[in-house]
Amino acid sequence: MSILVNKNTQVLVQGITGREGAFHAEQMMKAGTKIVAGMTPGKGGQMAQGVPVYDTVKEATHHHRIDASIIFVPAPGAADAALEAAHAGIPLVVLITEGIPTMDMVKAVAEIKAMGNVRLIGGNCPGLITPGECKLGIMPANVFKRGKVGLISRSGTVTYETAKALSDAGYGISTCIGIGGDPIIGTTFKDLLPMFNDDPETEAVVICGEIGGSDEEDAAEYIKAHMKKPVVGFIGGRSAPKGKKMGHAGAIIMGNVGTPESKLAAFAAAGVPVADTIDEIVELVRAKLG
Amino acid sequence: MNLHEYQAKEILAKYGIPVPPGRIAYTADEAKQIATEFGDTVVIKAQVHTGGRGKAGGVKLAKTPEEAREKAGQILGLNIKGFITKKVLVAKAVDIAKEYYAGLILDRVTQRVVLMLSKEGGVDIEEVAAERPEAIIKHAIDPHKGLRPFEARELVKRAGMEGNLNKLAQILVQLYHAYEGIDASTAEINPLVVTASGDVVAADAKIVLDDNALYRHPELSRLREEEAEHPLEVEASNYGFAYVKLEGNVGIIGNGAGLVMYTLDLVQRVGGKAANFLDIGGGAKADIVYNALKVVLKDPDVKGVFINIFGGITRADEVAKGVLRAMDEGILTKPVAMRVAGTAEEEAKKLLEGRPIYMYPTSIEAAKAIVAMTGGAQ
C-alpha cells in the first residue's frame, strides 16, 4: 500500500510538449509511472513521449481513464490548467509550476476546495512518489527506495536529502509528498496525515517543515489528537532573519507568525521529536522504529 | 516589491480613494516651492523603503514655505535604518479628528485576502495585534465575490469606527479593488483619517506588490528602484539567483531554497554566521556556479565560501568546473568547503585533485570546516 498514487495510477501530463513537460514525462516513465496521455492546447492530434496529445483535458478524459494529472504549464496559465483538470473530474492534480501569481492561486484553491472531490498538490512543489510504482513529480527517483516511512515536506532538495538518508539507512519511503513552498497551496501537512494514519505500509511519518505560516502548528494539533504512528519533525530556516523572504515565497516570518520557536513548541506539545540535522532525522526514526 | 508611500497614494487615488494633495521634492528648494503653491501647513515625509520613519526624524510639519525648505533640508540625506533619503513627499497637512487602520493582507490560514480594521490607527498595527488583538476586526474575503459594500458597512460598524459610514465603507471596497487590480500582497492605509470637517482621507499608505504577478503590470515593475535594494541582491537577481544579504562572514551557495536554508542553519549551529542566502536552482552548469561565486565574493564580509549541492539533476563535476574557473581567474582567493552529494561525485573529486578546495562527505562536516577556516565559532 501507499497513499494517493500506486502502480495502477493512470496519468495525464499537462504541458507535455514543452521542454520541462517532455523531459519530466520521460523521467517519470522511467520511474514506472503509467503516463497514458498528454495535453497542450493547439497541439491536439500529435504524439509526445509515445502517448497521444489532446487540446483539452476533457478530450483526454473522454478517451482514457485518468486518475491523476501533473502540470508543467508556465506560470501565467498554471492556475487555469489546474482548474481545467479539476473540472474535467480528475481527482488528483499536481501543480509543479513555480512563480504563479498569488491571487490566481487564492481563487483556484478556493474553487477546487469548494468542489470537494479534487485533491490539488502544490504549486511550486516537487510532486509525489511511491517508489517503484509511480512518480508524479520531478524528484530524482534513484534516491528513493521503497519502505515504511511516509515523508511530507515543504522543500525540494531537503526532501531528496531526507529520502536518500532514510533509504540508505534501510527504512525507505512508502509515499513522499512535496507540498510546495508557496504561501497558498492546495494541500498542507494536516491533509496528508490522516492518509498515512490509515496506510498499513506506513509505520512512521517524517514532516520536513520550514519557517513561515502555521502548517506545522496545524499538523501538531492533528498529531496530538489523532495520530497513531510515530512522527518525527524537522524545521528549516531556523537561523533566518524576520521579514526576509528566504527563496520560498512562503518562508518568511511576519510578526510573531511563522517563527521556528512557535513550530518547535507545537511539535514538543504533540510529542514530536525535532531533528536539528538531516542525519538526526534518521536517528530519531531509528529510536521510534528500532 | 515595496512601493513608496507617494507611489501607493497615486494608486489609491486612481481607485478613487481620497489622499491629501502632495508632490515629490528632491531638493529643499523644490520642497519650498511646493509648500508655497499649497499655501498651507505641509507635512514633509522621507520616501524610503523602511518603517519607523517618524521615530528616525524622517517626518516633520512645516507651517511656512521657508520652514518647509529648512525641514526638507534636514530630512534629505538622512540615513534611516541604512536607507539614505533621496526624496521627500511634501503633502498638505490634514486636520485629524480620528485615526483608523485599514489593511489587506494575504492570510495563509484562511487562504484568502483578509481585511483588517481597527479604530486604533496611526500606530504600529503589529503592536496593537500583539498587545490587544481584540482591537482588530478581521474579515476573510471570498475571492470570487470580492468585498461587497454591505459587508464593508457591517465591518465599519463592528470596528466601532465613527464618521461618514458610506465614505468609510466605499474606501474599503475601493481598497480591495486596488489590491486585486494591481496584484498586491499587502495594501494598508494607516492612518485612515476622518478630518475635522468629516472627510475621510488616506494620510499614509503602504503597498507591497506580488512579485509573481509583476509581468501583468509593466507600468508598476518600472517603479522598481535598484538603489532601494542591496546592490548584490540586484546583481544576483540579474543572474536569476534568489539572494539575500545577511550579517555573517560565511558565503553560502546551494541548490534549492530548502537546502540553502538548512545550510544557513548548520553554519549557525556550529557557531558561525552566514553572509548570505544564495540559491542557484536546479540543474546548474559550471557558468552558473562561477556567476554565483562572483556575486558571493563581491561581498567584502565574506571570508570563505560553503558550497552545498545535492546532485539530483545538478552534476558535481559541473560545480567543480565552475569553482576552478573562479580560482584560475583570480576571483576566488578565499577558502572553499564543498559538499556535493550524488551525481558525478567521483569525476568532481578527480577534477579537484591537488587543488586547495576541500570536499566533505556530509553537510555538517563541511559546515564545521568552513567555520574553522573563517575565524572559528563566535
Side-chain angles (χ1 to χ4, degrees), chain A residues 112-289:
Chain A
I112 288 172
K113 288 218 160 149
M115 293 169 77
N117 53 358
V118 178
R119 165 131 330 270
L120 171 69
I121 293 176
N124 189 18
C125 79
L128 65 158
I129 182 169
T130 295
E133 294 196 24
C134 181
K135 176 175 110 161
L136 207 54
I138 58 172
M139 59 285 278
N142 59 323
V143 304
F144 290 79
K145 291 210 178 71
R146 189 59 177 270
K148 51 193 171 189
V149 179
L151 174 59
I152 331 173
S153 172
R154 271 168 69 184
S155 142
T157 33
V158 164
T159 321
Y160 314 156
E161 295 257 7
T162 306
K164 185 174 188 300
L166 287 167
S167 297
D168 290 349
Y171 293 104
I173 302 296
S174 54
T175 299
C176 164
I177 303 109
I179 62 171
D182 277 357
I184 305 294
I185 49 177
T187 295
T188 58
F189 293 136
K190 71 167 188 305
D191 300 323
L192 297 166
L193 287 169
M195 300 181 205
F196 279 126
N197 221 3
D198 294 339
D199 173 36
E201 190 185 345
T202 302
E203 292 178 22
V205 177
V206 171
I207 297 181
C208 292
E210 64 187 31
I211 54 164
S214 57
D215 288 358
E216 291 77 8
E217 288 85 338
D218 295 344
E221 229 165 80
Y222 174 86
I223 293 165
K224 203 173 169 185
H226 305 291
M227 203 68 190
K228 295 177 291 199
K229 298 172 183 179
V231 179
V232 167
F234 172 85
I235 306 291
R238 281 155 74 169
S239 62
K242 278 192 176 193
K244 282 272 188 186
K245 188 167 74 184
M246 304 304 276
H248 286 154
I252 180 166
I253 301 170
M254 298 297 279
N256 294 316
V257 178
T259 64
E261 292 76 21
S262 152
K263 294 174 191 305
L264 292 171
F267 276 153
V272 174
V274 178
D276 286 329
T277 67
I278 288 169
D279 298 321
E280 226 177 280
I281 295 176
V282 178
E283 296 314 311
L284 293 174
V285 169
R286 181 170 289 131
K288 298 283 184 185
L289 296 183

Side-chain angles (χ1 to χ4, degrees), chain B residues 57-373:
Chain B
V59 179
K60 291 180 195 292
L61 268 178
K63 291 197 174 103
T64 64
E66 189 47 40
E67 203 184 339
R69 197 182 64 81
E70 186 190 318
K71 297 277 169 70
Q74 290 164 7
I75 295 172
L76 285 162
L78 192 66
N79 182 333
I80 303 177
K81 295 183 188 170
F83 294 87
I84 306 296
T85 308
K86 292 184 173 160
K87 51 191 168 187
V88 291
L89 173 64
V90 183
K92 256 192 183 176
V94 287
D95 189 2
I96 297 171
K98 304 271 182 201
E99 287 185 288
Y100 298 136
Y101 169 91
L104 291 165
I105 52 141
L106 180 72
D107 178 51
R108 301 166 56 129
V109 177
T110 57
Q111 300 192 309
R112 290 181 174 195
V113 177
V114 166
L115 172 68
M116 300 199 299
L117 282 186
S118 177
K119 61 177 195 177
E120 298 183 24
V123 292
D124 184 351
I125 198 67
E126 286 198 4
E127 276 171 27
V128 178
E131 284 160 23
R132 282 176 316 103
E134 71 280 1
I136 301 174
I137 299 284
K138 292 182 184 177
H139 169 73
I141 297 167
D142 182 327
H144 293 109
K145 294 177 179 150
L147 181 68
R148 275 87 63 87
F150 78 88
E151 294 171 317
R153 289 193 299 272
E154 286 170 5
L155 290 162
V156 167
K157 297 288 280 191
R158 252 180 65 203
M161 293 161 86
E162 295 159 29
N164 187 311
L165 175 64
N166 289 315
K167 278 185 189 170
L168 282 164
Q170 187 58 24
I171 284 175
L172 301 182
V173 168
Q174 290 307 117
L175 184 62
Y176 183 73
H177 283 161
Y179 185 97
E180 202 182 13
I182 61 171
D183 276 300
S185 60
T186 299
E188 284 181 326
I189 302 175
N190 188 23
L192 176 62
V193 166
V194 179
T195 68
S197 55
D199 288 330
V200 187
V201 293
D204 197 353
K206 178 185 167 187
I207 290 180
V208 182
L209 298 173
D210 174 13
D211 291 338
N212 286 355
L214 274 179
Y215 74 90
R216 294 204 273 236
H217 309 284
E219 76 291 354
L220 295 175
S221 48
R222 275 196 292 274
L223 300 177
R224 171 172 230 126
E225 280 175 16
E226 299 201 328
E227 79 262 27
E229 295 164 46
H230 195 279
L232 284 174
E233 296 187 352
V234 175
E235 184 169 347
S237 103
N238 290 340
Y239 283 122
F241 302 138
Y243 175 95
V244 181
K245 172 81 179 96
L246 301 169
E247 307 288 311
N249 64 8
V250 179
I252 308 282
I253 295 171
N255 62 334
L259 180 62
V260 181
M261 261 189 270
Y262 173 57
T263 307
L264 262 48
D265 294 348
L266 283 179
V267 167
Q268 189 183 63
R269 192 177 146 76
V270 299
K273 271 193 139 184
N276 67 276
F277 170 106
L278 193 154
D279 176 10
I280 57 172
K285 296 275 190 252
D287 57 328
I288 306 255
V289 174
Y290 167 80
N291 288 337
L293 275 167
K294 270 209 310 203
V295 171
V296 166
L297 289 162
K298 268 194 189 160
D299 176 357
D301 298 339
V302 167
K303 301 268 186 295
V305 184
F306 179 0
I307 302 177
N308 195 2
I309 304 287
F310 181 81
I313 9 176
T314 310
R315 290 177 60 94
D317 54 347
E318 286 290 329
V319 177
K321 280 181 202 162
V323 176
L324 288 173
R325 182 177 159 202
M327 187 168 275
D328 293 341
E329 291 183 13
I331 296 166
L332 176 57
T333 53
K334 312 238 163 89
V336 174
M338 258 173 82
R339 177 265 177 182
V340 186
T343 319
E345 211 176 316
E346 289 310 311
E347 288 91 326
K349 276 185 189 150
K350 230 179 205 165
L351 282 170
L352 295 174
E353 237 170 39
R355 308 296 292 263
I357 297 166
Y358 306 93
M359 267 186 88
Y360 299 87
T362 67
S363 299
I364 189 85
E365 284 167 83
K368 281 180 187 157
I370 195 67
V371 169
M373 286 189 276

